[in-house]
Amino acid sequence: MKVLRTPDHRFKNLKDFPFEPNYTNIKDKSGVELRIHHLDEGPKDGPIVLLMHGQPVWSYLYRKIIPYLTKAGVRIIAPDLVGYGRSDKPSSIEDYTYQTQVDWMNTWIRQNDFKKITFFGQDWGGLIGLRVIADNGDRFSGAVISNTGVPLSRNMDPETHRKIKEFKASKHVPTTSEFVRAFKKPGPMAFAYWQKWSLNKKNFPAGLLVAPMFERRTRMKMKLSGIFYELGLEGISPLVSDVEKAYNAPFPNSSYKMVCRAMPSQVPTLPDDAAVEAQKKAWKFFEKFEKPFLCAFADNDPITRGMDKPFLEKCPGTKGQKHTTLKGAGHFCQETQPKEISEIIVNFMRSNGIINGSN
């Protein structure tokens, strides 16, 4: 396995990101060494809040939340998943699977011996982090999740299954316009368009996908920005905002973006996907998980809407918790409602005795 490492200069002078890097070297099951980055802020003896990001972002996503949480007296640990941020980046699409991401983070959390953890995860941060909880339940005190879950296709009809399989196996590569149109009708086929579009997008537009979700962009600006990305010139584009620049920082060129292309296809949406058995095992764990578990989902995220319901129905730890609907927060709620998310986490920890009321 060939491994790439983003040069440090790519992370200099990022707006509102004064945090020092911390690194852990782990060994992959194949024996290859990987360096995983994390932020470590707040009192070293404070209760730990583990903040896990998703796709295609990195720990920069939590820059607005960290000050609120450290002020409450908690220690923040915010890793970059392998392939993202300052963490090492295996250079082949085939290096990335749902299971390898879980394995890497299991090794990382055990090697650092983090304990008494309150978890917060969103997007892939939840998909991976919840599996890590299931594999290391004794290390966690509780969990808060937003816009994420442990996806498992339980009742897909055979005809939908057939259509998606045929679409994925076909030689047709969706254009960006086709992908956008498909996403206007949320559902299994729309997600299949996202998976196939991502897999075939050589210069995956990480910053351009993320920033417009919470920054205003005109249609013309989006079109011009897309041209710069298609030409591999986003680094010199005059249209790139500070936030977009930060989300582009981990990826000097397309060879660093294999994780962005790979991971959407690793979401188990079909009954015969590779991760299904591991997902079933994780659900058996959460159906017996009695530690505090809170859901705080946005009401306008078309991808994850409803993914909280299985936890509310099946996970004992959700009973009696103050579950929250984030109004208008969108997919990346850490960007749009950092104060609200921080208050939810702190109040959750206080109400469940993880920190006392004076913190």
Side-chain angles (χ1 to χ4, degrees):
M1 180 168 62
K2 181 182 177 182
V3 177
L4 304 177
R5 181 169 295 173
T6 304
D8 287 342
H9 71 81
R10 296 278 300 182
F11 302 99
K12 291 187 181 297
N13 302 317
L14 297 182
K15 187 178 180 180
D16 302 323
F17 198 72
F19 312 112
E20 292 297 318
N22 300 270
Y23 297 103
T24 305
N25 291 321
I26 70 164
K27 283 287 184 70
D28 177 77
K29 287 185 176 179
S30 66
V32 174
E33 188 169 86
L34 293 169
R35 191 178 76 169
I36 297 179
H37 166 259
H38 70 273
L39 303 178
D40 188 344
E41 299 292 325
K44 300 304 181 197
D45 60 348
I48 292 174
V49 174
L50 174 62
L51 304 172
M52 289 186 67
H53 70 84
Q55 155 91 355
V57 295
W58 56 292
S59 55
Y60 181 83
L61 180 68
Y62 287 104
R63 70 197 181 284
K64 299 176 184 178
I65 286 177
I66 289 171
Y68 287 113
L69 295 182
T70 54
K71 187 177 180 180
V74 299
R75 179 185 178 189
I76 300 306
I77 301 295
D80 292 338
L81 297 170
V82 173
Y84 301 93
R86 286 180 177 262
S87 290
D88 281 350
K89 298 167 179 66
S91 62
S92 172
I93 286 176
E94 290 73 26
D95 294 328
Y96 298 98
T97 69
Y98 195 159
Q99 188 61 53
T100 56
Q101 288 283 10
V102 173
D103 291 342
W104 289 329
M105 296 313 293
N106 276 340
T107 302
W108 171 81
I109 204 169
R110 292 165 187 169
Q111 195 161 311
N112 280 288
D113 199 26
F114 294 131
K115 296 177 180 177
K116 299 181 179 179
I117 303 165
T118 297
F119 174 77
F120 178 83
Q122 176 261 344
D123 192 85
W124 266 108
L127 269 73
I128 295 167
L130 289 165
R131 289 272 301 274
V132 171
I133 294 175
D135 290 340
N136 303 271
D138 58 335
R139 293 183 180 272
F140 290 85
S141 302
V144 179
I145 63 169
S146 181
N147 301 343
T148 190
V150 180
L152 181 63
S153 180
R154 298 175 186 271
N155 300 303
M156 180 174 286
D157 65 273
E159 181 62 14
T160 300
H161 187 189
R162 181 189 65 78
K163 287 181 178 179
I164 292 175
K165 292 283 281 191
E166 288 182 355
F167 171 71
K168 287 186 173 184
S170 72
K171 294 182 179 180
H172 177 68
V173 176
T175 65
T176 300
S177 296
E178 287 176 324
F179 153 59
V180 172
R181 284 198 301 270
F183 239 58
K184 291 180 180 179
K185 298 179 179 179
M189 183 55 78
F191 200 81
Y193 269 82
W194 161 242
Q195 291 175 312
K196 196 165 187 181
W197 179 85
S198 300
L199 189 63
N200 289 280
K201 199 68 175 173
K202 183 178 179 181
N203 193 33
F204 188 96
L208 186 60
L209 275 178
V210 175
M213 292 187 185
F214 42 85
E215 290 185 337
R216 284 193 172 185
R217 303 286 176 95
T218 65
R219 185 174 296 180
M220 179 59 69
K221 186 174 181 179
M222 286 294 293
K223 186 174 182 179
L224 290 173
S225 295
I227 292 172
F228 275 98
Y229 275 87
E230 291 294 338
L231 296 173
L233 300 175
E234 66 270 24
I236 62 172
S237 170
L239 304 174
V240 174
S241 68
D242 289 333
V243 171
E244 187 176 339
K245 177 184 176 182
Y247 285 122
N248 284 335
F251 312 115
N253 58 55
S254 60
S255 66
Y256 289 75
K257 298 182 178 183
M258 297 305 178
V259 70
C260 300
R261 296 172 60 189
M263 291 313 296
S265 292
Q266 294 299 314
V267 179
T269 58
L270 299 177
D272 55 351
D273 280 336
V276 166
E277 291 306 312
Q279 298 295 84
K280 289 179 179 178
K281 181 180 177 182
W283 270 113
K284 287 181 180 179
F285 171 86
F286 284 109
E287 287 167 2
K288 298 179 180 178
F289 189 72
E290 297 184 348
K291 293 179 181 179
F293 194 111
L294 186 141
C295 298
F297 280 54
D299 61 357
N300 63 337
D301 183 10
I303 303 303
T304 63
R305 186 184 295 127
M307 289 179 70
D308 54 341
K309 290 181 181 179
F311 288 97
L312 298 175
E313 294 170 358
K314 299 174 182 294
C315 178
T318 63
K319 307 307 177 188
Q321 299 298 322
K322 296 181 180 179
H323 305 288
T324 304
T325 298
L326 302 168
K327 296 183 178 180
H331 187 61
F332 290 107
C333 52
Q334 302 95 320
E335 287 280 2
T336 60
Q337 296 188 10
K339 183 178 180 181
E340 291 83 350
I341 291 291
S342 303
E343 289 175 348
I344 288 168
I345 295 171
V346 171
N347 290 336
F348 170 81
M349 296 176 76
R350 286 175 176 162
S351 64
N352 289 288
I354 300 170
I355 57 175
N356 62 49
S358 63
N359 288 98

